[in-house]
Amino acid sequence: MKKADIFEFYRRLAERNPAPETELEYVNAYTLLVAVVLSAQATDVGVNKATRALFREVQTPEAMVALGEEGLKEHIKTIGLFNSKAKNVIALSQMLIAEHGSEVPRDRAALERLPGVGRKTANVVLNVAFGEETIAVDTHIFRVANRTGLAPGKDVVKVEEKLEKVTPKPFRSHAHHWLILHGRYICKARRPECWRCFEADLCAYRPKTPPPGGSIPTQDGRASIA
């Protein structure tokens, strides 16, 4: 994708959603960290259902440690891999208490040292909790970056590096959320909804998926009835 097209790609995203937010529910930086750890290989909807009652009871590392691994499991047993996730959340809570004064560190290396926290989770926390201009490449962003030609790459690190390089400064703070939401609701994994995509004319994906019901895409990407 050409430089001018990349700017226009983001401009359209910004026009439609000026202030995007994470769909994970959280109370503070600590509960955000826990929610992101729990969201690995799980949906935000599923995590939110499990954490609503949990976060009413637990909002600090101390409260989580007091709840204990078994108590945490009771809250999150509907989430995939809940046994290992519970173990990691208790361990990272203990580490936050012992090494960081119970605060979530604003440092990528320190975050990645926490149990259950990888590069993607660290980037989400840095972006959402601290306003850092990071882009956490999940499956949605990886797909959108490659499919559209925005920032093609064979692995998540390469895609992240390219996105960091090509994303214009005015859009860097929200790029993470715009790309995730675009992949979640329009540029879907099994069948992208090209007929209603407002980025279709900029996108390298071929062939464009046809619309259902006999409708045809107009120049601005909206559908009209044939």
Side-chain angles (χ1 to χ4, degrees), residues 7 18 35 59 62 74-75 89 92 112 122 131 155 158-159 164 167 193 205 209:
F7 189 94
Q59 298 180 10
E62 288 85 357
E74 283 301 308
H75 282 281
V89 168
L92 72 82
E112 290 188 24
D155 59 64
K158 291 296 184 184
V159 169
E164 293 276 356
T167 301
E193 298 182 359
Y205 182 70
T209 54

Side-chain angles (χ1 to χ4, degrees), residues 35-43 47 79-81 85 116 120-121:
V36 180
V37 169
L38 295 178
S39 72
Q41 299 183 49
T43 66
V47 172
I79 302 175
L81 306 175
K85 289 177 180 179
K120 185 186 77 172
T121 297

Side-chain angles (χ1 to χ4, degrees), residues 46-110:
V47 172
N48 291 338
K49 287 181 179 178
T51 58
R52 283 184 189 123
L54 173 65
F55 291 161
R56 285 196 293 268
E57 178 181 350
V58 174
Q59 298 180 10
T60 65
E62 288 85 357
M64 187 68 77
V65 172
L67 177 65
E69 190 173 327
E70 293 305 315
L72 177 55
K73 286 179 183 179
E74 283 301 308
H75 282 281
I76 66 170
K77 59 187 177 182
T78 57
I79 302 175
L81 306 175
F82 72 92
N83 284 309
S84 61
K85 289 177 180 179
K87 182 177 181 179
N88 283 333
V89 168
I90 296 300
L92 72 82
S93 299
Q94 292 170 332
M95 188 177 291
L96 289 176
I97 295 169
E99 300 184 14
H100 300 286
S102 299
E103 298 293 328
V104 176
R106 187 174 181 169
D107 178 80
R108 185 197 303 278

Side-chain angles (χ1 to χ4, degrees), residues 111-122:
L111 285 167
E112 290 188 24
R113 287 187 59 245
L114 298 172
V117 178
R119 186 177 183 86
K120 185 186 77 172
T121 297

Side-chain angles (χ1 to χ4, degrees), residues 23-38:
E23 293 187 326
L24 285 172
E25 297 173 6
Y26 66 98
V27 178
N28 52 27
Y30 172 70
T31 55
L32 172 67
L33 173 63
V34 172
V36 180
V37 169
L38 295 178

Side-chain angles (χ1 to χ4, degrees), residues 205-221:
Y205 182 70
R206 298 290 185 276
K208 298 289 194 263
T209 54
S215 58
I216 57 175
T218 59
Q219 188 174 9
D220 64 2

